[in-house]
Amino acid sequence: MNTPPLHGLITATFTPMNNDGSLALNRIPAYADFLVKNGISGAFVNGTTGEGSSLTQAERKAIVEAWVSAAPPELRVLVHVGHNSLDEARDLAVHAQQIGASGFAALAPSFFKPGSVESLVATCEHIASAAPDLPFYYYHIPSMTGVSIPCLDFLKAAKDRIPNLRGIKFTFENLMDYLACLRFEDGRFDIVFGRDEALVPALAIGAQGAIGSTYNFLAPPFQEAITAFRSSDLPAATAHQSGINEVIDVMIRHGGLPAGKAIMSLLGQDLGPVRLPLKSVSGTAMDQLRTDLKLVSFP
């Protein structure tokens, strides 16, 4: 497949919601413009950050349609279709191809988990074959799925079985496996890094593209870190990463994903609440979040 690799920062998007929890699709055009102005090259829709597993099938399709409609040509739209039901995942894949998305991805089922490389490859093969003309990425995120099969083993077994396999969204800390995947068959696959707090180390071993949630609100300092790294100024790059990680630490201490969504409102992008079982940040908790962010010079 001759599609270009994913370069630069790709944002794992939040799902805009109204206060009653319904979708706020009308906020996506302004959201897309905001990302483009911050130098973002793609939107990864309906993933972990987008609460994809908490959405209905119809909602997931409506969100993708809104993003494909709103995104300018320079913003590639990648669709997460992963589901515990593989038939539902295939249905989402067909939809992504039909409406003109740039690519699609799927994480491993997390209830009945693939217990071997063969099982994981067969699962991805079944999903990917539903949209054969669209680049497919395996979404490796052991912290959420509990599936920690080495990605190098996956590539070795999948390379000749999944014709539209383009690469991996690698959301894990194992940089040895990450490097091995980058170098596999002379860089045949697009291995996109997914741990925001370790982007500079990933750049040092060859990362070219990254997908993450904090690029929603930390794109400018991340761009500065990338510029410094490419200018061979490693001390400056690591200093930027350190400052970024202070903000990420605040976000984690305030609940992680819900706090990230709340931070967007401080930048003029009100994306609404999160869905249960997550808990939105509000009231005095929001006041404390603002205070703690100011202590690390953000925004």
Side-chain angles (χ1 to χ4, degrees), residues 12-15 17 46-54 139 141 144 213-214 216-217 248 250-264 271-275 277-281 289:
T13 58
F14 296 103
T15 294
M17 296 180 185
N46 289 340
T48 305
T49 305
E51 302 175 72
S53 63
S54 298
Y139 181 3
I141 182 167
M144 301 300 285
S213 61
T214 65
N216 276 288
F217 48 85
I248 293 175
V250 170
M251 181 190 77
I252 293 171
R253 286 191 283 113
H254 283 268
L257 191 160
K261 201 171 190 181
I263 289 170
M264 291 297 285
L271 302 178
V274 294
R275 284 188 176 174
L278 298 177
K279 182 180 179 181
S280 298
V281 179
L289 174 61

Side-chain angles (χ1 to χ4, degrees), residues 81 89-99 104 127 129-132 134:
V81 305
R90 284 174 58 84
D91 179 53
L92 292 170
V94 169
H95 177 259
Q97 180 170 281
Q98 288 175 339
I99 67 168
F104 69 118
I127 297 170
S129 65
L134 209 58

Side-chain angles (χ1 to χ4, degrees), residues 22 75 78-79 82 159 161 192 201 248 252 262 287:
S22 61
L75 190 71
L78 306 167
V79 181
K159 65 185 180 70
R161 288 179 52 181
V192 190
I248 293 175
I252 293 171
D287 293 338

Side-chain angles (χ1 to χ4, degrees), residues 204-220:
I205 61 174
Q208 297 296 317
I211 297 175
S213 61
T214 65
Y215 306 144
N216 276 288
F217 48 85
L218 286 170

